[in-house]
Amino acid sequence: MKKLILTTAFALAIASNAFAENFSDHSLNINMTSGDTTISAGTGASYDFADSANVYGIKHDFGMAYGQIELIDGDNSVDDYRFTVGKLFTTASVDEVTGEPDRVTFYAAPELHYTVGDSFAKDELRISPSIGVAFDTGLVTPYAELGYDWKSSEGDLFDFARADAYAELGVAMPVSDKASVQVAIMQDLDSDLESVDREVALTFNVSF
């Protein structure tokens, strides 16, 4: 209960700051994981799509890499589909003597996206590497993440150009053994790392 109260208080604090700073939007997301498979749903869940779009996905970790399929349900019956292949690299480990996990974890996740649909005159290919660091305080886990995109279009898929970037600062808190909550400030950036918009994201993670 204490963790839930603290998480709620943190979310309200960020939300209040969001209004004060005129944040562009907010997103609400849920991830449900069973084994190596995650089903997700959210609004404004992706940096690459409209904030008003509903994004539904299914992701499976095959070991060597993970794959994901997403439906981006936009306004006025505009639907797009994204196919993703990626790999998570992390320094996370457990101390062989104490059995305690590392306090500080660094991670990187290179991804390849292929997107088709009503919003795209030509199919789009993106290379999207991201890096991050997380610090486990024992009660909450603050984290910071950066990502950058290069994209190309159907007809010349190997002619990549700088697309955009993002920065994310947040905190994750376990509510129970099977659930956690993340609250984050997400900053969209253009190819020159200039601010585009900013939003608050609330994400619920559930395992079963």
Side-chain angles (χ1 to χ4, degrees):
M1 179 60 70
K2 181 180 179 181
K3 291 181 178 181
L4 183 58
I5 292 172
L6 288 173
T7 304
T8 303
F10 186 83
L12 290 174
I14 286 186
S16 298
N17 186 53
F19 286 116
E21 297 293 333
N22 294 317
F23 279 43
S24 301
D25 213 329
H26 64 276
S27 63
L28 180 63
N29 316 298
I30 183 168
N31 299 312
M32 298 175 290
T33 301
S34 178
D36 295 324
T37 302
T38 298
I39 298 173
S40 60
T43 299
S46 173
Y47 296 99
D48 299 328
F49 305 108
D51 293 334
S52 59
N54 296 314
V55 182
Y56 308 97
I58 182 168
K59 177 180 179 181
H60 185 79
D61 189 344
F62 295 94
M64 293 295 293
Y66 57 79
Q68 184 175 33
I69 301 174
E70 292 172 290
L71 164 64
I72 302 89
D73 182 12
D75 297 331
N76 301 318
S77 300
V78 175
D79 294 333
D80 300 314
Y81 299 89
R82 168 164 285 188
F83 306 90
T84 298
V85 175
K87 174 69 176 179
L88 175 64
F89 298 93
T90 176
T91 63
S93 63
V94 176
D95 189 289
E96 295 181 0
V97 177
T98 65
E100 294 293 326
D102 290 339
R103 290 287 189 180
V104 180
T105 299
F106 296 92
Y107 59 91
E111 293 185 333
L112 188 67
H113 307 289
Y114 192 82
T115 310
V116 302
D118 300 327
S119 298
F120 297 83
K122 295 183 178 181
D123 296 354
E124 181 184 271
L125 181 66
R126 282 184 180 243
I127 297 175
S128 305
S130 62
I131 58 173
V133 58
F135 179 69
D136 185 357
T137 67
L139 183 61
V140 298
T141 304
Y143 67 92
E145 184 174 305
L146 298 171
Y148 201 97
D149 284 6
W150 287 266
K151 70 177 181 179
S152 63
S153 298
E154 182 183 9
D156 199 349
L157 287 178
F158 296 102
D159 182 18
F160 287 94
R162 294 186 300 176
D164 47 37
Y166 73 87
E168 182 173 332
L169 182 64
V171 62
M173 175 177 288
V175 178
S176 70
D177 293 339
K178 298 291 186 178
S180 66
V181 178
Q182 290 175 232
V183 184
I185 297 172
M186 305 194 304
Q187 176 71 64
D188 284 339
L189 306 167
D190 62 20
S191 59
D192 295 320
L193 303 183
E194 297 291 336
S195 175
V196 176
D197 66 14
R198 185 182 303 163
E199 67 180 52
V200 176
L202 180 61
T203 302
F204 298 93
N205 302 297
V206 181
S207 299
F208 57 93

